[in-house]
mmCIF file of all heavy atoms in Angstrom:
data_model
loop_
_atom_site.group_PDB
_atom_site.id
_atom_site.type_symbol
_atom_site.label_atom_id
_atom_site.label_comp_id
_atom_site.label_asym_id
_atom_site.label_seq_id
_atom_site.Cartn_x
_atom_site.Cartn_y
_atom_site.Cartn_z
ATOM 1 N N ARG A 8 -12.804 310.324 -4.008
ATOM 2 C CA ARG A 8 -14.067 309.472 -3.783
ATOM 3 C C ARG A 8 -13.891 308.545 -2.547
ATOM 4 O O ARG A 8 -14.746 308.589 -1.676
ATOM 5 C CB ARG A 8 -14.343 308.636 -5.049
ATOM 6 C CG ARG A 8 -15.446 307.695 -4.780
ATOM 7 C CD ARG A 8 -16.014 307.126 -6.194
ATOM 8 N NE ARG A 8 -14.907 306.498 -6.936
ATOM 9 C CZ ARG A 8 -14.518 305.253 -6.796
ATOM 10 N NH1 ARG A 8 -15.161 304.505 -6.001
ATOM 11 N NH2 ARG A 8 -13.411 304.813 -7.525
ATOM 12 N N SER A 9 -12.737 307.844 -2.488
ATOM 13 C CA SER A 9 -12.536 306.935 -1.358
ATOM 14 C C SER A 9 -12.333 307.724 -0.083
ATOM 15 O O SER A 9 -12.873 307.323 0.968
ATOM 16 C CB SER A 9 -11.367 306.083 -1.653
ATOM 17 O OG SER A 9 -10.177 306.869 -1.772
ATOM 18 N N ALA A 10 -11.703 308.846 -0.155
ATOM 19 C CA ALA A 10 -11.521 309.635 1.097
ATOM 20 C C ALA A 10 -12.866 310.262 1.582
ATOM 21 O O ALA A 10 -13.120 310.241 2.774
ATOM 22 C CB ALA A 10 -10.600 310.742 0.825
ATOM 23 N N THR A 11 -13.689 310.605 0.623
ATOM 24 C CA THR A 11 -15.020 311.118 1.079
ATOM 25 C C THR A 11 -15.830 310.061 1.705
ATOM 26 O O THR A 11 -16.453 310.256 2.728
ATOM 27 C CB THR A 11 -15.732 311.621 -0.209
ATOM 28 O OG1 THR A 11 -14.974 312.600 -0.861
ATOM 29 C CG2 THR A 11 -17.155 312.208 0.127
ATOM 30 N N ILE A 12 -15.906 308.897 1.103
ATOM 31 C CA ILE A 12 -16.716 307.780 1.736
ATOM 32 C C ILE A 12 -16.137 307.400 3.105
ATOM 33 O O ILE A 12 -16.848 307.025 4.064
ATOM 34 C CB ILE A 12 -16.646 306.601 0.784
ATOM 35 C CG1 ILE A 12 -17.423 306.902 -0.412
ATOM 36 C CG2 ILE A 12 -17.351 305.341 1.433
ATOM 37 C CD1 ILE A 12 -17.406 305.889 -1.581
ATOM 38 N N ALA A 13 -14.837 307.682 3.373
ATOM 39 C CA ALA A 13 -14.213 307.268 4.581
ATOM 40 C C ALA A 13 -14.449 308.250 5.680
ATOM 41 O O ALA A 13 -14.137 307.990 6.815
ATOM 42 C CB ALA A 13 -12.692 307.076 4.402
ATOM 43 N N LEU A 14 -15.058 309.429 5.389
ATOM 44 C CA LEU A 14 -15.156 310.405 6.503
ATOM 45 C C LEU A 14 -16.198 309.760 7.481
ATOM 46 O O LEU A 14 -17.025 309.078 7.214
ATOM 47 C CB LEU A 14 -15.952 311.641 5.886
ATOM 48 C CG LEU A 14 -15.043 312.414 4.860
ATOM 49 C CD1 LEU A 14 -15.860 313.627 4.439
ATOM 50 C CD2 LEU A 14 -13.762 312.848 5.515
ATOM 51 N N LEU A 15 -15.838 310.109 8.766
ATOM 52 C CA LEU A 15 -16.583 309.456 9.826
ATOM 53 C C LEU A 15 -17.704 310.273 10.469
ATOM 54 O O LEU A 15 -18.194 309.887 11.533
ATOM 55 C CB LEU A 15 -15.472 309.101 10.947
ATOM 56 C CG LEU A 15 -14.509 308.169 10.549
ATOM 57 C CD1 LEU A 15 -13.486 307.863 11.684
ATOM 58 C CD2 LEU A 15 -15.060 306.869 10.075
ATOM 59 N N GLY A 16 -18.086 311.347 9.905
ATOM 60 C CA GLY A 16 -19.164 312.205 10.502
ATOM 61 C C GLY A 16 -20.370 312.412 9.607
ATOM 62 O O GLY A 16 -20.197 312.515 8.366
ATOM 63 N N LEU A 17 -21.493 312.343 10.202
ATOM 64 C CA LEU A 17 -22.738 312.877 9.545
ATOM 65 C C LEU A 17 -22.872 314.311 9.925
ATOM 66 O O LEU A 17 -22.327 314.741 10.991
ATOM 67 C CB LEU A 17 -23.943 312.094 9.947
ATOM 68 C CG LEU A 17 -23.939 310.672 9.348
ATOM 69 C CD1 LEU A 17 -25.120 309.942 9.904
ATOM 70 C CD2 LEU A 17 -23.878 310.587 7.919
ATOM 71 N N ALA A 18 -23.647 315.086 9.307
ATOM 72 C CA ALA A 18 -23.757 316.513 9.610
ATOM 73 C C ALA A 18 -25.207 316.927 9.643
ATOM 74 O O ALA A 18 -26.049 316.331 9.006
ATOM 75 C CB ALA A 18 -22.953 317.358 8.676
ATOM 76 N N GLY A 19 -25.463 318.055 10.413
ATOM 77 C CA GLY A 19 -26.870 318.476 10.493
ATOM 78 C C GLY A 19 -26.952 319.617 11.374
ATOM 79 O O GLY A 19 -26.107 320.518 11.419
ATOM 80 N N LEU A 20 -28.052 319.606 12.205
ATOM 81 C CA LEU A 20 -28.299 320.752 13.103
ATOM 82 C C LEU A 20 -29.147 320.307 14.193
ATOM 83 O O LEU A 20 -29.693 319.201 14.204
ATOM 84 C CB LEU A 20 -28.939 321.826 12.336
ATOM 85 C CG LEU A 20 -30.474 321.827 12.181
ATOM 86 C CD1 LEU A 20 -30.934 323.091 11.542
ATOM 87 C CD2 LEU A 20 -30.885 320.628 11.264
ATOM 88 N N LEU A 21 -29.325 321.135 15.180
ATOM 89 C CA LEU A 21 -30.409 320.975 16.105
ATOM 90 C C LEU A 21 -31.618 321.577 15.383
ATOM 91 O O LEU A 21 -32.463 320.879 14.906
ATOM 92 C CB LEU A 21 -30.076 321.643 17.442
ATOM 93 C CG LEU A 21 -28.840 321.266 18.157
ATOM 94 C CD1 LEU A 21 -28.595 321.975 19.415
ATOM 95 C CD2 LEU A 21 -28.941 319.728 18.379
ATOM 96 N N TRP A 22 -31.631 322.905 15.243
ATOM 97 C CA TRP A 22 -32.550 323.491 14.257
ATOM 98 C C TRP A 22 -31.763 324.294 13.341
ATOM 99 O O TRP A 22 -31.657 323.957 12.131
ATOM 100 C CB TRP A 22 -33.720 324.267 14.943
ATOM 101 C CG TRP A 22 -34.571 323.421 15.860
ATOM 102 C CD1 TRP A 22 -34.768 323.672 17.147
ATOM 103 C CD2 TRP A 22 -35.362 322.293 15.492
ATOM 104 N NE1 TRP A 22 -35.670 322.702 17.634
ATOM 105 C CE2 TRP A 22 -35.944 321.882 16.617
ATOM 106 C CE3 TRP A 22 -35.480 321.541 14.323
ATOM 107 C CZ2 TRP A 22 -36.792 320.712 16.735
ATOM 108 C CZ3 TRP A 22 -36.279 320.412 14.336
ATOM 109 C CH2 TRP A 22 -36.887 320.010 15.522
ATOM 110 N N TRP A 23 -31.216 325.375 13.737
ATOM 111 C CA TRP A 23 -30.326 326.199 12.971
ATOM 112 C C TRP A 23 -28.890 326.006 13.469
ATOM 113 O O TRP A 23 -28.432 327.007 14.051
ATOM 114 C CB TRP A 23 -30.746 327.706 13.074
ATOM 115 C CG TRP A 23 -31.782 328.189 12.071
ATOM 116 C CD1 TRP A 23 -31.643 328.422 10.794
ATOM 117 C CD2 TRP A 23 -33.159 328.564 12.433
ATOM 118 N NE1 TRP A 23 -32.868 328.830 10.269
ATOM 119 C CE2 TRP A 23 -33.828 328.950 11.350
ATOM 120 C CE3 TRP A 23 -33.871 328.561 13.653
ATOM 121 C CZ2 TRP A 23 -35.092 329.363 11.249
ATOM 122 C CZ3 TRP A 23 -35.189 328.964 13.604
ATOM 123 C CH2 TRP A 23 -35.705 329.379 12.439
ATOM 124 N N GLY A 24 -28.325 324.936 13.336
ATOM 125 C CA GLY A 24 -27.032 324.793 13.826
ATOM 126 C C GLY A 24 -26.330 323.485 13.636
ATOM 127 O O GLY A 24 -26.930 322.560 13.309
ATOM 128 N N ASN A 25 -25.078 323.453 14.033
ATOM 129 C CA ASN A 25 -24.228 322.302 13.958
ATOM 130 C C ASN A 25 -24.086 321.777 15.371
ATOM 131 O O ASN A 25 -23.824 322.494 16.288
ATOM 132 C CB ASN A 25 -22.945 322.561 13.281
ATOM 133 C CG ASN A 25 -23.067 322.992 11.819
ATOM 134 O OD1 ASN A 25 -23.682 322.153 11.099
ATOM 135 N ND2 ASN A 25 -22.662 324.170 11.503
ATOM 136 N N ASN A 26 -24.002 320.429 15.531
ATOM 137 C CA ASN A 26 -23.635 319.878 16.785
ATOM 138 C C ASN A 26 -22.523 318.912 16.689
ATOM 139 O O ASN A 26 -22.364 318.359 15.558
ATOM 140 C CB ASN A 26 -24.909 319.128 17.365
ATOM 141 C CG ASN A 26 -24.660 318.707 18.753
ATOM 142 O OD1 ASN A 26 -23.917 319.287 19.517
ATOM 143 N ND2 ASN A 26 -25.438 317.764 19.227
ATOM 144 N N TYR A 27 -21.762 318.806 17.660
ATOM 145 C CA TYR A 27 -20.515 317.984 17.623
ATOM 146 C C TYR A 27 -20.669 316.704 18.430
ATOM 147 O O TYR A 27 -20.662 316.736 19.625
ATOM 148 C CB TYR A 27 -19.318 318.784 18.137
ATOM 149 C CG TYR A 27 -18.979 319.887 17.220
ATOM 150 C CD1 TYR A 27 -19.747 321.023 17.105
ATOM 151 C CD2 TYR A 27 -17.877 319.780 16.353
ATOM 152 C CE1 TYR A 27 -19.390 322.050 16.228
ATOM 153 C CE2 TYR A 27 -17.503 320.809 15.457
ATOM 154 C CZ TYR A 27 -18.245 321.952 15.443
ATOM 155 O OH TYR A 27 -17.903 322.987 14.546
ATOM 156 N N LYS A 28 -20.903 315.629 17.678
ATOM 157 C CA LYS A 28 -20.889 314.271 18.341
ATOM 158 C C LYS A 28 -20.168 313.362 17.342
ATOM 159 O O LYS A 28 -20.068 313.587 16.103
ATOM 160 C CB LYS A 28 -22.315 313.835 18.713
ATOM 161 C CG LYS A 28 -22.975 314.549 19.760
ATOM 162 C CD LYS A 28 -24.327 313.996 20.178
ATOM 163 C CE LYS A 28 -24.938 314.792 21.272
ATOM 164 N NZ LYS A 28 -26.231 314.277 21.697
ATOM 165 N N HIS A 29 -19.760 312.252 17.911
ATOM 166 C CA HIS A 29 -18.986 311.349 17.137
ATOM 167 C C HIS A 29 -19.925 310.242 16.594
ATOM 168 O O HIS A 29 -20.897 309.910 17.175
ATOM 169 C CB HIS A 29 -17.856 310.659 17.926
ATOM 170 C CG HIS A 29 -16.812 311.599 18.291
ATOM 171 N ND1 HIS A 29 -16.141 312.288 17.444
ATOM 172 C CD2 HIS A 29 -16.361 311.965 19.462
ATOM 173 C CE1 HIS A 29 -15.145 313.015 18.051
ATOM 174 N NE2 HIS A 29 -15.381 312.805 19.299
ATOM 175 N N ILE A 30 -19.602 309.668 15.435
ATOM 176 C CA ILE A 30 -20.327 308.541 14.986
ATOM 177 C C ILE A 30 -19.193 307.455 14.526
ATOM 178 O O ILE A 30 -18.234 307.876 14.024
ATOM 179 C CB ILE A 30 -21.295 308.799 13.723
ATOM 180 C CG1 ILE A 30 -22.123 307.612 13.546
ATOM 181 C CG2 ILE A 30 -20.490 309.138 12.524
ATOM 182 C CD1 ILE A 30 -23.313 307.978 12.696
ATOM 183 N N ASN A 31 -19.394 306.291 14.962
ATOM 184 C CA ASN A 31 -18.376 305.253 14.732
ATOM 185 C C ASN A 31 -19.039 304.155 13.874
ATOM 186 O O ASN A 31 -19.712 303.317 14.360
ATOM 187 C CB ASN A 31 -17.841 304.654 16.091
ATOM 188 C CG ASN A 31 -16.764 303.704 15.793
ATOM 189 O OD1 ASN A 31 -16.253 303.526 14.680
ATOM 190 N ND2 ASN A 31 -16.427 302.870 16.839
ATOM 191 N N GLU A 32 -18.880 304.265 12.550
ATOM 192 C CA GLU A 32 -19.331 303.297 11.663
ATOM 193 C C GLU A 32 -20.897 303.150 11.853
ATOM 194 O O GLU A 32 -21.441 302.053 11.827
ATOM 195 C CB GLU A 32 -18.758 301.891 11.831
ATOM 196 C CG GLU A 32 -17.214 301.916 11.500
ATOM 197 C CD GLU A 32 -16.564 300.485 11.658
ATOM 198 O OE1 GLU A 32 -17.284 299.585 12.171
ATOM 199 O OE2 GLU A 32 -15.397 300.390 11.302
ATOM 200 N N GLY A 33 -21.452 304.347 12.040
ATOM 201 C CA GLY A 33 -22.917 304.367 12.074
ATOM 202 C C GLY A 33 -23.471 304.164 13.530
ATOM 203 O O GLY A 33 -24.727 304.229 13.707
ATOM 204 N N HIS A 34 -22.615 304.029 14.502
ATOM 205 C CA HIS A 34 -23.124 303.819 15.864
ATOM 206 C C HIS A 34 -22.671 304.881 16.817
ATOM 207 O O HIS A 34 -21.533 305.221 16.878
ATOM 208 C CB HIS A 34 -22.673 302.394 16.313
ATOM 209 C CG HIS A 34 -23.194 301.240 15.519
ATOM 210 N ND1 HIS A 34 -24.449 300.732 15.744
ATOM 211 C CD2 HIS A 34 -22.684 300.647 14.481
ATOM 212 C CE1 HIS A 34 -24.650 299.803 14.867
ATOM 213 N NE2 HIS A 34 -23.574 299.701 14.042
ATOM 214 N N ASN A 35 -23.648 305.433 17.602
ATOM 215 C CA ASN A 35 -23.292 306.370 18.583
ATOM 216 C C ASN A 35 -22.341 305.871 19.591
ATOM 217 O O ASN A 35 -22.414 304.720 19.996
ATOM 218 C CB ASN A 35 -24.550 306.926 19.275
ATOM 219 C CG ASN A 35 -25.231 307.961 18.451
ATOM 220 O OD1 ASN A 35 -24.665 308.438 17.422
ATOM 221 N ND2 ASN A 35 -26.385 308.473 18.970
ATOM 222 N N VAL A 36 -21.438 306.713 20.025
ATOM 223 C CA VAL A 36 -20.590 306.449 21.183
ATOM 224 C C VAL A 36 -20.649 307.616 22.130
ATOM 225 O O VAL A 36 -21.160 308.619 21.845
ATOM 226 C CB VAL A 36 -19.146 306.231 20.689
ATOM 227 C CG1 VAL A 36 -19.072 304.948 19.850
ATOM 228 C CG2 VAL A 36 -18.605 307.378 19.923
ATOM 229 N N ASN A 37 -20.105 307.463 23.352
ATOM 230 C CA ASN A 37 -20.045 308.530 24.261
ATOM 231 C C ASN A 37 -19.325 309.653 23.593
ATOM 232 O O ASN A 37 -18.233 309.483 23.109
ATOM 233 C CB ASN A 37 -19.324 308.077 25.507
ATOM 234 C CG ASN A 37 -19.342 309.128 26.611
ATOM 235 O OD1 ASN A 37 -19.162 310.308 26.318
ATOM 236 N ND2 ASN A 37 -19.442 308.645 27.788
ATOM 237 N N PRO A 38 -19.870 310.949 23.577
ATOM 238 C CA PRO A 38 -19.322 312.034 22.904
ATOM 239 C C PRO A 38 -17.812 312.369 23.504
ATOM 240 O O PRO A 38 -17.065 313.084 22.819
ATOM 241 C CB PRO A 38 -20.197 313.127 23.046
ATOM 242 C CG PRO A 38 -21.195 312.797 24.143
ATOM 243 C CD PRO A 38 -21.222 311.268 24.190
ATOM 244 N N LEU A 39 -17.549 311.949 24.722
ATOM 245 C CA LEU A 39 -16.211 312.225 25.266
ATOM 246 C C LEU A 39 -15.257 311.109 25.111
ATOM 247 O O LEU A 39 -14.162 311.214 25.480
ATOM 248 C CB LEU A 39 -16.455 312.470 26.826
ATOM 249 C CG LEU A 39 -17.204 313.858 27.136
ATOM 250 C CD1 LEU A 39 -17.226 313.988 28.626
ATOM 251 C CD2 LEU A 39 -16.634 314.987 26.474
ATOM 252 N N ASP A 40 -15.753 309.955 24.561
ATOM 253 C CA ASP A 40 -14.829 308.941 24.271
ATOM 254 C C ASP A 40 -13.747 309.371 23.330
ATOM 255 O O ASP A 40 -13.940 310.090 22.313
ATOM 256 C CB ASP A 40 -15.465 307.718 23.514
ATOM 257 C CG ASP A 40 -16.332 306.890 24.491
ATOM 258 O OD1 ASP A 40 -16.242 307.172 25.752
ATOM 259 O OD2 ASP A 40 -17.074 305.994 24.086
ATOM 260 N N GLY A 41 -12.537 309.061 23.611
ATOM 261 C CA GLY A 41 -11.353 309.345 22.793
ATOM 262 C C GLY A 41 -10.795 310.747 23.183
ATOM 263 O O GLY A 41 -9.737 311.115 22.601
ATOM 264 N N ILE A 42 -11.405 311.463 24.113
ATOM 265 C CA ILE A 42 -10.832 312.648 24.655
ATOM 266 C C ILE A 42 -10.181 312.408 25.936
ATOM 267 O O ILE A 42 -10.724 311.982 26.893
ATOM 268 C CB ILE A 42 -11.938 313.737 24.914
ATOM 269 C CG1 ILE A 42 -12.642 314.114 23.607
ATOM 270 C CG2 ILE A 42 -11.358 315.032 25.527
ATOM 271 C CD1 ILE A 42 -13.713 315.150 23.756
ATOM 272 N N PRO A 43 -8.878 312.509 26.012
ATOM 273 C CA PRO A 43 -8.120 312.250 27.201
ATOM 274 C C PRO A 43 -8.637 313.069 28.459
ATOM 275 O O PRO A 43 -8.971 314.138 28.297
ATOM 276 C CB PRO A 43 -6.618 312.641 26.900
ATOM 277 C CG PRO A 43 -6.592 312.638 25.378
ATOM 278 C CD PRO A 43 -7.987 313.013 24.941
ATOM 279 N N GLY A 44 -8.703 312.295 29.540
ATOM 280 C CA GLY A 44 -9.172 313.023 30.726
ATOM 281 C C GLY A 44 -10.609 313.140 30.848
ATOM 282 O O GLY A 44 -11.146 314.005 31.533
ATOM 283 N N SER A 45 -11.362 312.297 30.167
ATOM 284 C CA SER A 45 -12.850 312.543 30.076
ATOM 285 C C SER A 45 -13.482 312.107 31.385
ATOM 286 O O SER A 45 -14.698 312.173 31.499
ATOM 287 C CB SER A 45 -13.423 311.729 28.953
ATOM 288 O OG SER A 45 -13.084 310.292 28.992
ATOM 289 N N GLY A 46 -12.692 311.605 32.340
ATOM 290 C CA GLY A 46 -13.284 311.324 33.601
ATOM 291 C C GLY A 46 -13.560 312.581 34.467
ATOM 292 O O GLY A 46 -14.045 312.467 35.572
ATOM 293 N N PHE A 47 -13.091 313.662 33.988
ATOM 294 C CA PHE A 47 -13.356 315.004 34.628
ATOM 295 C C PHE A 47 -14.830 315.138 34.900
ATOM 296 O O PHE A 47 -15.693 314.814 34.090
ATOM 297 C CB PHE A 47 -12.847 316.132 33.841
ATOM 298 C CG PHE A 47 -13.363 317.503 34.206
ATOM 299 C CD1 PHE A 47 -12.721 318.147 35.332
ATOM 300 C CD2 PHE A 47 -14.329 318.055 33.500
ATOM 301 C CE1 PHE A 47 -13.251 319.318 35.645
ATOM 302 C CE2 PHE A 47 -14.797 319.345 33.862
ATOM 303 C CZ PHE A 47 -14.262 320.054 34.953
ATOM 304 N N SER A 48 -15.144 315.713 36.183
ATOM 305 C CA SER A 48 -16.630 315.987 36.402
ATOM 306 C C SER A 48 -16.739 317.514 36.712
ATOM 307 O O SER A 48 -15.794 318.090 37.391
ATOM 308 C CB SER A 48 -17.014 315.256 37.604
ATOM 309 O OG SER A 48 -18.239 315.657 38.107
ATOM 310 N N TRP A 49 -17.702 318.142 36.180
ATOM 311 C CA TRP A 49 -17.979 319.548 36.408
ATOM 312 C C TRP A 49 -18.295 319.823 37.862
ATOM 313 O O TRP A 49 -18.038 320.963 38.355
ATOM 314 C CB TRP A 49 -19.136 320.043 35.558
ATOM 315 C CG TRP A 49 -18.710 320.110 34.119
ATOM 316 C CD1 TRP A 49 -18.919 319.226 33.112
ATOM 317 C CD2 TRP A 49 -18.063 321.226 33.458
ATOM 318 N NE1 TRP A 49 -18.362 319.625 31.878
ATOM 319 C CE2 TRP A 49 -17.860 320.940 32.135
ATOM 320 C CE3 TRP A 49 -17.667 322.546 33.893
ATOM 321 C CZ2 TRP A 49 -17.220 321.826 31.190
ATOM 322 C CZ3 TRP A 49 -17.002 323.312 33.022
ATOM 323 C CH2 TRP A 49 -16.778 322.962 31.733
ATOM 324 N N HIS A 50 -18.788 318.838 38.583
ATOM 325 C CA HIS A 50 -19.067 319.020 39.974
ATOM 326 C C HIS A 50 -17.807 319.307 40.829
ATOM 327 O O HIS A 50 -17.966 319.801 41.975
ATOM 328 C CB HIS A 50 -19.877 317.811 40.540
ATOM 329 C CG HIS A 50 -21.156 317.592 39.841
ATOM 330 N ND1 HIS A 50 -22.199 318.511 39.948
ATOM 331 C CD2 HIS A 50 -21.600 316.512 39.072
ATOM 332 C CE1 HIS A 50 -23.262 318.016 39.275
ATOM 333 N NE2 HIS A 50 -22.924 316.841 38.740
ATOM 334 N N GLN A 51 -16.661 319.005 40.280
ATOM 335 C CA GLN A 51 -15.416 319.250 40.895
ATOM 336 C C GLN A 51 -15.045 320.791 41.037
ATOM 337 O O GLN A 51 -14.261 321.185 41.896
ATOM 338 C CB GLN A 51 -14.277 318.608 40.260
ATOM 339 C CG GLN A 51 -14.315 317.057 40.095
ATOM 340 C CD GLN A 51 -13.373 316.452 39.231
ATOM 341 O OE1 GLN A 51 -12.453 317.171 38.666
ATOM 342 N NE2 GLN A 51 -13.451 315.174 39.014
ATOM 343 N N ILE A 52 -15.825 321.614 40.292
ATOM 344 C CA ILE A 52 -15.630 323.034 40.249
ATOM 345 C C ILE A 52 -16.717 323.804 40.919
ATOM 346 O O ILE A 52 -17.894 323.550 40.580
ATOM 347 C CB ILE A 52 -15.459 323.531 38.728
ATOM 348 C CG1 ILE A 52 -14.297 322.809 38.020
ATOM 349 C CG2 ILE A 52 -15.289 325.036 38.720
ATOM 350 C CD1 ILE A 52 -14.188 323.278 36.604
ATOM 351 N N VAL A 53 -16.304 324.677 41.867
ATOM 352 C CA VAL A 53 -17.302 325.446 42.567
ATOM 353 C C VAL A 53 -17.495 326.748 41.724
ATOM 354 O O VAL A 53 -16.601 327.406 41.387
ATOM 355 C CB VAL A 53 -16.862 325.890 43.988
ATOM 356 C CG1 VAL A 53 -17.816 326.783 44.635
ATOM 357 C CG2 VAL A 53 -16.541 324.599 44.892
ATOM 358 N N PRO A 54 -18.791 327.017 41.383
ATOM 359 C CA PRO A 54 -19.012 328.317 40.634
ATOM 360 C C PRO A 54 -18.520 329.505 41.293
ATOM 361 O O PRO A 54 -18.479 329.636 42.543
ATOM 362 C CB PRO A 54 -20.581 328.311 40.502
ATOM 363 C CG PRO A 54 -20.998 326.870 40.687
ATOM 364 C CD PRO A 54 -20.075 326.369 41.623
#
């Protein structure tokens, strides 16, 4: 019971699916927060 309540994610979908974003005590944060090296920019890569 206590472990379940302590889980930090809500779940759902866009329509038919799951999306991965973080929630921190009910408040949205940048989805890349906590991922090392999140300063990376896709514009650095030439297609």
Side-chain angles (χ1 to χ4, degrees):
R8 177 166 54 89
S9 60
T11 302
I12 293 174
L14 296 181
L15 297 179
L17 294 176
L20 83 172
L21 301 180
W22 296 124
W23 273 288
N25 296 301
N26 190 22
Y27 289 76
K28 291 187 178 181
H29 294 301
I30 194 165
N31 181 14
E32 296 180 353
H34 297 276
N35 274 356
V36 294
N37 186 322
L39 295 182
D40 283 354
I42 298 177
S45 57
F47 164 78
S48 170
W49 287 94
H50 298 295
Q51 299 169 6
I52 300 177
V53 177

